[in-house]
């Protein structure tokens, strides 16, 4: 031990590479300025990632072969390496790798945060001959959300609505200087043009998440939104949301579990009623479509395969106002009658509190349930709330007519996390897939245009004309209500005139439109086969 300390001290006096490991107490860790999130302190205790300039420059000779990727020689990719150094107090320090800034002559790097509709439409069209691209997201796929409700009851398989990001933009898998990182962004330093990230939790990784940072020339924030709970007690603990494939999988497991448990001997009538009572909160398109799919599943499959408990299964849709408030009045009335005819109980009320087995409404009444699905819209995520930028009404990231974030250079925002600032004179657009997709298409055309004019590098697009601003035109809305019926509202706004129709023809239009909008031909084939299989053989009720 003593010999090790002597050797180490001599190595430090020679100015060896170990000087790059900046060791300090947490209280004395230097801070990096950030216009977005205030000061960025050391990510780990006893780590000062920005306290020593040599941390950012002295490891240039240890690059991994891909441009600018700093790692140790033992690990040639952007994973955090933990280096333990013996000391009298046996202090442990670690450093995280950096995807450093691009150099003159290299392609500019675009960093995209997110893998939703807006991000993937942007990634799909980005000219990778002009740009290198880095996508950072806690999931490696895009979810085709309009068909997500169908996966909860087995109409579609889960993989039919998920498209890998690396297949949407193949450069992420093939280009040596483009990457996909399975991680979440925690902060942004717009002065240094860096984003700070931490990897998602995984059973195979350390319990303490790995952290790293990525330099960018252009940053596109498309991190999406989170379900709105309005601060109601018990929602996050007991309700299921319906925005991710994992959510649909959890709903399906709970639904089938309750069906099978209710058939066990000794279950009381009261418990059967509660277990098989499915409650949906929110009468928007997602809530209505899920209620319609669930009622169709009950009518066609449950009554044939769970005959012992078929009379106990019920669906209740609770909405504070009217269901499908953005649709035409006639369509809302049609949806109300059809859902009621299919056995869905419509209740107008406001949820006050959620318990493990019942809901308390504002009028004091209690609604017992076995499955609770919460679908009341979305709001800004904690990451978006933490950004110190101007916000649009509703708390989203404020953007101008070209989807730029004002007061900072080379940062853009789009999708559910962004909204127009008040000074633009434009209303904040709804959190819809077609809005996000249209914004992604506009922004990628803007990027490709300025990239060809040598405006892709950081701080280089100031004098390049951006062209016409973004203008959104609504193409209409569609919603399925179950049992081969759907609504099609082709009005451009709520008060405008246009074609509105409901029934079987609308259902056929709904399916045809969404089948053509599925991104890949592979998934279109999956969806078509799933629909045909369900029509002939019914839904699969295996609980896997």
């Amino acid at each position: 031990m003593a010999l090790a300390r002597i050797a180490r001290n001599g190595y430090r006096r020679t100015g060896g590479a170990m000087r790059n490991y900046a060791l300090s107490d947490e209280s004395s860790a230097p801070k990096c300025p950030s216009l977005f999130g205030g000061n960025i302190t050391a990510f780990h205790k006893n780590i000062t990632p920005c306290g020593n300039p040599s941390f950012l420059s002295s490891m240039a000779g240890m690059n991994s072969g891909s441009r600018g990727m700093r790692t140790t020689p033992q690990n040639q990719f952007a994973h955090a390496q933990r280096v333990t150094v013996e000391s009298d107090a046996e202090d442990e320090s670690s450093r995280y790798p950096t995807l450093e800034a691009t150099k003159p002559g290299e392609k500019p790097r675009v960093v995209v945060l997110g893998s939703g509709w807006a991000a993937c439409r942007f990634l799909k069209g980005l000219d990778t001959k002009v740009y290198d691209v880095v996508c950072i997201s806690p999931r490696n796929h895009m979810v085709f959300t309009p068909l997500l409700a169908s996966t909860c009851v087995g109409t579609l398989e889960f993989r039919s609505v998920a498209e890998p990001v690396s297949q949407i933009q193949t450069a992420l898998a093939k280009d040596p200087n483009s990457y996909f990182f399975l991680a979440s962004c925690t902060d942004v330093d717009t002065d240094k043009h860096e984003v700070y990230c931490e990897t998602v939790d995984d059973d195979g990784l350390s319990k303490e998440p790995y952290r790293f940072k990525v330099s960018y020339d252009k940053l596109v924030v498309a991190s999406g939104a989170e379900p709105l709970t309005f601060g109601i007690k018990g929602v996050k603990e007991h309700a299921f949301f319906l925005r991710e494939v994992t959510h649909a999988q959890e709903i399906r497991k709970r639904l089938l579990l309750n069906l099978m448990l209710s058939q066990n001997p000794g279950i009381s009538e009261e418990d059967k009623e509660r277990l098989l009572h499915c409650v949906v909160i929110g009468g928007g398109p997602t809530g209505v479509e899920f209620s319609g799919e669930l009622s169709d599943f009950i009518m066609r499959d449950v009554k044939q395969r769970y005959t012992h408990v078929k009379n106990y299964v019920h669906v209740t849709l609770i909405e504070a106002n009217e269901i499908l408030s953005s649709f035409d009045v006639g369509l809302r009335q049609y949806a109300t009658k059809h859902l009621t005819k299919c056995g869905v109980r419509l209740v107008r009320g406001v949820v006050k509190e959620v318990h493990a087995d019942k809901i308390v409404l504002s009028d004091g009444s209690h609604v017992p349930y076995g499955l609770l699905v919460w679908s009341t819209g979305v709001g800004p995520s904690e990451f978006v709330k933490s950004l110190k930028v101007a916000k649009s009404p509703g708390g989203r990231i404020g953007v101008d007519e070209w989807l730029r974030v004002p007061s900072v250079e080379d940062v853009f925002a789009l999708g559910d996390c962004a909204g127009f600032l008040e000074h633009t004179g434009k209303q904040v657009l709804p959190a819809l897939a077609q809005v996000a997709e249209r914004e992604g298409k506009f922004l990628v055309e803007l990027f490709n245009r300025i990239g060809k004019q040598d405006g892709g590098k950081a701080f280089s697009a100031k004098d390049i004309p951006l062209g016409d601003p973004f203008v959104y035109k609504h193409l209409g809305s569609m919603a399925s209500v179950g049992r081969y019926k759907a609504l099609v509202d082709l009005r451009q706004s709520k008060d405008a005139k246009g074609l509105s129709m409901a029934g079987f023809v609308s259902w056929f239009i709904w399916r045809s439109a969404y089948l053509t909008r599925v991104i890949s031909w592979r998934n279109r084939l999956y969806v078509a086969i799933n629909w045909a299989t369900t029509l002939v053989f019914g839904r699969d009720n295996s609980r896997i």
Side-chain angles (χ1 to χ4, degrees):
M1 196 67 178
L3 291 174
R5 282 199 298 270
I6 292 171
R8 186 178 64 253
N9 293 335
Y11 183 64
R12 287 175 177 171
R13 283 194 296 272
T14 62
M18 292 304 293
R19 68 180 180 273
N20 294 319
Y21 301 93
L23 304 179
S24 70
D25 293 330
E26 187 178 23
S27 59
S28 62
K31 299 180 179 181
C32 298
S34 170
L35 294 181
F36 270 36
N39 291 325
I40 301 172
T41 57
F43 284 122
H44 285 286
K45 186 177 179 180
N46 299 327
I47 305 171
T48 58
C50 54
N52 193 339
S54 62
F55 173 80
L56 299 177
S57 59
S58 64
M59 299 303 291
M62 292 187 180
N63 287 343
S64 66
S66 295
R67 188 189 70 223
M69 184 69 73
R70 294 177 179 169
T71 66
T72 61
Q74 289 82 8
N75 188 352
Q76 299 293 325
F77 199 67
H79 288 296
Q81 281 291 331
R82 180 155 302 184
V83 181
T84 304
V85 182
E86 284 187 355
S87 66
D88 293 332
E90 293 188 0
D91 289 334
E92 184 182 84
S93 71
S94 62
R95 63 182 178 84
Y96 53 94
T98 302
L99 190 58
E100 59 187 10
T102 56
K103 298 177 176 61
E106 296 175 339
K107 289 190 292 185
R109 181 187 299 128
V110 178
V111 173
V112 181
L113 305 181
S115 56
W117 280 83
C120 288
R121 182 60 185 87
F122 177 85
L123 288 169
K124 183 179 180 180
L126 189 66
D127 188 352
T128 53
K129 295 179 180 179
V130 178
Y131 294 100
D132 289 327
V133 59
V134 174
C135 179
I136 303 171
S137 175
R139 69 182 189 198
N140 73 335
H141 58 273
M142 172 192 167
V143 180
F144 193 81
T145 48
L147 296 178
L148 190 57
S150 298
T151 65
C152 298
V153 295
T155 306
L156 295 176
E157 292 299 322
F158 298 111
R159 292 189 182 276
S160 301
V161 299
E163 189 71 33
V165 177
S166 59
Q167 293 187 16
I168 295 174
Q169 176 50 264
T170 56
L172 295 171
K174 298 179 180 179
D175 195 313
N177 295 318
S178 294
Y179 307 94
F180 173 82
F181 296 142
L182 192 69
S184 297
C185 182
T186 57
D187 208 344
V188 180
D189 189 331
T190 54
D191 282 343
K192 296 182 178 180
H193 275 47
E194 293 176 341
V195 294
Y196 296 79
C197 310
E198 67 177 26
T199 55
V200 297
D201 293 334
D202 190 285
D203 293 337
L205 298 178
S206 171
K207 292 183 179 179
E208 188 174 1
Y210 298 144
R211 293 173 171 87
F212 59 93
K213 61 182 178 181
V214 177
S215 298
Y216 65 85
D217 291 295
K218 295 286 189 290
L219 175 64
V220 177
V221 183
S223 53
E226 293 182 354
L228 277 176
T229 63
F230 305 101
I232 299 173
K233 183 180 178 181
V235 174
K236 291 184 178 180
E237 293 80 7
H238 306 299
F240 292 95
F241 303 106
L242 189 53
R243 291 184 55 79
E244 304 285 349
V245 171
T246 54
H247 297 162
Q249 291 172 331
E250 292 169 354
I251 291 171
R252 177 175 170 79
K253 286 183 178 180
R254 175 61 64 87
L255 176 62
L256 295 175
L257 176 65
N258 289 350
L259 282 167
M260 290 181 282
L261 287 178
S262 61
Q263 295 187 115
N264 291 340
I267 302 296
S268 66
E269 298 290 312
E270 183 180 356
D271 285 339
K272 286 182 181 180
E273 292 280 358
R274 182 187 63 81
L275 281 173
L276 298 179
H277 187 201
C278 305
V279 178
V280 182
I281 308 296
T286 301
V288 169
E289 288 188 342
F290 177 73
S291 300
E293 286 281 353
L294 196 53
S295 66
D296 196 26
F297 172 63
I298 293 169
M299 296 288 290
R300 289 195 57 198
D301 300 271
V302 171
K303 292 192 174 183
Q304 294 181 10
R305 302 176 186 180
Y306 299 92
T307 56
H308 297 90
V309 295
K310 62 181 181 181
N311 296 326
Y312 294 93
V313 185
H314 299 286
V315 181
T316 298
L317 175 61
I318 301 177
E319 166 59 41
N321 300 302
E322 292 188 20
I323 65 171
L324 300 174
S325 58
S326 62
F327 281 70
D328 179 71
V329 176
L331 296 182
R332 294 203 299 267
Q333 293 175 350
Y334 179 91
T336 300
K337 292 179 180 178
H338 180 78
L339 289 173
T340 303
K341 182 180 178 181
C342 292
V344 179
R345 179 185 171 216
L346 301 178
V347 175
R348 181 170 293 188
V350 177
V351 178
K352 180 181 179 181
E353 190 174 355
V354 176
H355 298 277
D357 57 356
K358 65 181 179 180
I359 301 168
V360 181
L361 300 181
S362 57
D363 60 2
S365 60
H366 292 189
V367 181
Y369 70 88
L371 172 67
L372 176 62
V373 177
W374 193 273
S375 177
T376 58
V378 295
S381 65
E382 293 300 321
F383 169 68
V384 170
K385 292 177 183 178
S386 70
L387 300 181
K388 306 301 181 183
V389 295
K391 301 293 175 60
S392 68
R396 302 186 192 179
I397 301 173
V399 295
D400 63 10
E401 298 93 327
W402 291 272
L403 305 180
R404 298 177 299 181
V405 179
S407 75
V408 293
E409 288 289 336
D410 301 318
V411 180
F412 301 77
L414 66 165
D416 294 353
C417 69
F420 288 118
L421 290 166
E422 291 185 4
H423 72 76
T424 63
K426 297 183 178 181
Q427 292 183 345
V428 176
L429 297 173
L432 299 175
Q434 63 172 294
V435 174
E437 185 180 24
R438 208 73 55 79
E439 289 178 342
K441 181 180 179 181
F442 169 83
L443 191 62
V444 76
E445 291 174 353
L446 174 63
F447 268 55
N448 290 340
R449 186 165 60 251
I450 65 176
K452 292 176 181 178
Q453 300 178 53
D454 297 326
K457 288 285 188 178
F459 305 106
S460 62
K462 294 181 180 179
D463 299 326
I464 296 178
L466 300 180
D468 296 331
F470 174 71
V471 177
Y472 172 70
K473 292 183 179 180
H474 189 62
L475 298 179
S477 303
M478 296 183 292
S480 170
V481 291
R483 300 193 71 183
Y484 309 110
K485 301 294 190 296
L487 316 176
V488 175
D489 190 351
L490 300 182
R491 299 175 303 158
Q492 291 191 356
S493 66
K494 186 175 180 179
D495 300 323
K497 294 182 179 179
L499 177 64
S500 299
M501 56 191 300
F504 176 80
V505 175
S506 299
W507 173 83
F508 184 79
I509 294 173
W510 174 82
R511 281 206 166 181
S512 301
Y514 283 151
L515 185 61
T516 59
R517 299 306 298 165
V518 174
I519 292 181
S520 68
W521 282 103
R522 182 198 65 172
N523 277 21
R524 290 173 193 169
L525 180 62
Y526 283 169
V527 170
I529 292 175
N530 289 164
W531 279 341
T533 304
T534 299
L535 179 65
V536 176
F537 301 106
R539 297 171 176 85
D540 179 26
N541 64 344
S542 301
R543 186 176 184 271
I544 301 175

